[in-house]
Amino acid sequence: MVRFLLFRLGTLFLTLLAVSFVVFWVMNALPGDPAMVILGLDATEDARLALRRELGLDAPFLTRYLDWLSGVVTGDLGDSYSFGVPVAELIVERLPVSAPLALIATAVTIVLALSLGVYAASRHGRAGDIGVMALSQFGIAIPAFWLAIILIIVFAVNLRWLPAGGFPGWERPGAALAALILPAVALALVQSAILARVTRSSVLEVMRLDYATTARAKGLSRGRVMRAHVLPNALVPIITIIGLQFANLVTGTIVIENVYHLPGLGRLIFQAITNRDLFVVQGLVLFFAAVVVIVNFAVDILYVVIDPRLRERRARSGP
């Protein structure tokens, strides 16, 4: 287990290093001169060249990358052109909106998808199963931004139950949570549809195995067989999808936060792209990529924790 953890940590480090290089290379390969963006189109060539020297943009690519990477290691992602503050400070300011939004959406996704998936599997071939599958197919086909607009029209404009957008801040926790409900539901419903189908397939597969059949033949109730024998063994593929979906939920905030006018990381990256704020976009892309890589690392560790067969296999063969 220790060897496996060390191996995975080494892989995590190399992946993050590769991601940082790709992010820096792509952002620097895009057309547009940050010095011209800062100074405006009327700036003289001498002023533009002087600012490029001041920002270090005239240095060779590898030198600039290593300088930026050394800053990333110490938490310095550079300064924003348009906001006039460090990028790390901007991320910290916006995180209290995006992180709760992603976590609430993940919780809604898991509860809804597991309930529907297990319900459909336990009624395989009957009306309940067919209904859940039809709903999930419909959910997969719906774009999240369209669903977000429909939720605003129904629950904010017509029923007036929840706010249509904006964020009042965590000084008013009740109002802050209310502002996140519709965006979280808009993010979660599409992901729930996908996860419900995976849950149904995984549960059905385990229900057909010999030990589940034997448990039922011994007279155990359907609920006990499901809780004690089926669900624990059906979790591995479900956790895989949850890990991938968390990454989708994090990046999905870019669209949803703009629909609901939430001052989170998604809205920040949209503003940075609009302003051609290179350091902010670069820092945020690296941040989102790091979240995805770290979540996948946590999922890999979780596999080994919940599945004894994987633990034994790792112990015999190493990482």
Side-chain angles (χ1 to χ4, degrees), residues 19-31 61 278 282 285:
V19 165
S20 72
F21 182 81
V22 172
V23 167
F24 189 84
W25 176 71
V26 169
M27 294 309 301
N28 281 269
L30 293 176
F61 171 81
L278 175 66
Q282 201 166 261
V285 172

Side-chain angles (χ1 to χ4, degrees), residues 70-133:
S70 63
V72 170
V73 172
T74 59
D76 179 10
L77 297 170
D79 293 334
S80 163
Y81 308 147
S82 50
F83 292 93
V85 296
V87 175
E89 189 178 310
L90 279 174
I91 293 176
V92 171
E93 282 177 2
R94 304 296 184 99
L95 206 53
V97 177
S98 297
L101 174 60
L103 290 175
I104 294 171
T106 302
V108 173
T109 298
I110 292 172
V111 171
L112 194 58
L114 291 188
S115 303
L116 290 174
V118 171
Y119 174 81
S122 62
R123 285 159 179 76
H124 182 226
R126 288 187 274 175
D129 181 25
I130 295 170
V132 170
M133 288 301 97

Side-chain angles (χ1 to χ4, degrees), residues 14-236:
L14 291 175
T15 305
L16 288 174
L17 190 63
V19 165
S20 72
F21 182 81
V22 172
V23 167
F24 189 84
W25 176 71
V26 169
M27 294 309 301
N28 281 269
L30 293 176
D33 185 353
M36 187 66 77
V37 174
I38 296 170
L39 296 173
L41 296 176
D42 296 331
T44 64
E45 183 66 9
D46 289 342
R48 188 182 69 81
L49 291 174
L51 185 57
R52 283 183 62 83
R53 277 195 299 275
E54 182 183 335
L55 296 174
L57 297 175
D58 59 340
F61 171 81
L62 193 57
T63 303
R64 284 186 287 127
Y65 169 67
L66 291 176
D67 286 344
W68 178 71
L69 187 62
S70 63
V72 170
V73 172
T74 59
D76 179 10
L77 297 170
D79 293 334
S80 163
Y81 308 147
S82 50
F83 292 93
V85 296
V87 175
E89 189 178 310
L90 279 174
I91 293 176
V92 171
E93 282 177 2
R94 304 296 184 99
L95 206 53
V97 177
S98 297
L101 174 60
L103 290 175
I104 294 171
T106 302
V108 173
T109 298
I110 292 172
V111 171
L112 194 58
L114 291 188
S115 303
L116 290 174
V118 171
Y119 174 81
S122 62
R123 285 159 179 76
H124 182 226
R126 288 187 274 175
D129 181 25
I130 295 170
V132 170
M133 288 301 97
L135 275 176
S136 66
Q137 188 62 47
F138 182 65
I140 292 170
I142 295 177
F145 74 88
W146 183 83
L147 181 61
I149 294 170
I150 295 298
L151 290 175
I152 290 173
I153 294 171
V154 174
F155 294 101
V157 177
N158 292 334
L159 297 176
R160 298 179 183 276
W161 289 354
L162 293 164
F167 188 73
W170 286 107
E171 294 79 14
R172 297 165 55 202
L177 283 174
L180 295 180
I181 289 176
L182 287 184
V185 171
L187 279 169
L189 285 183
V190 175
Q191 303 300 327
S192 300
I194 300 168
L195 187 59
R197 295 179 79 88
V198 174
T199 302
R200 173 185 176 272
S201 300
S202 183
V203 169
L204 274 178
E205 186 178 338
V206 177
M207 284 173 67
R208 290 169 181 149
L209 296 179
D210 291 343
Y211 59 82
T213 306
T214 304
R216 287 195 296 271
K218 287 180 177 178
L220 296 181
S221 66
R222 177 183 293 182
R224 188 170 176 187
V225 172
M226 190 66 73
R227 288 191 300 273
H229 299 282
V230 176
L231 277 179
N233 293 292
L235 277 178
V236 171

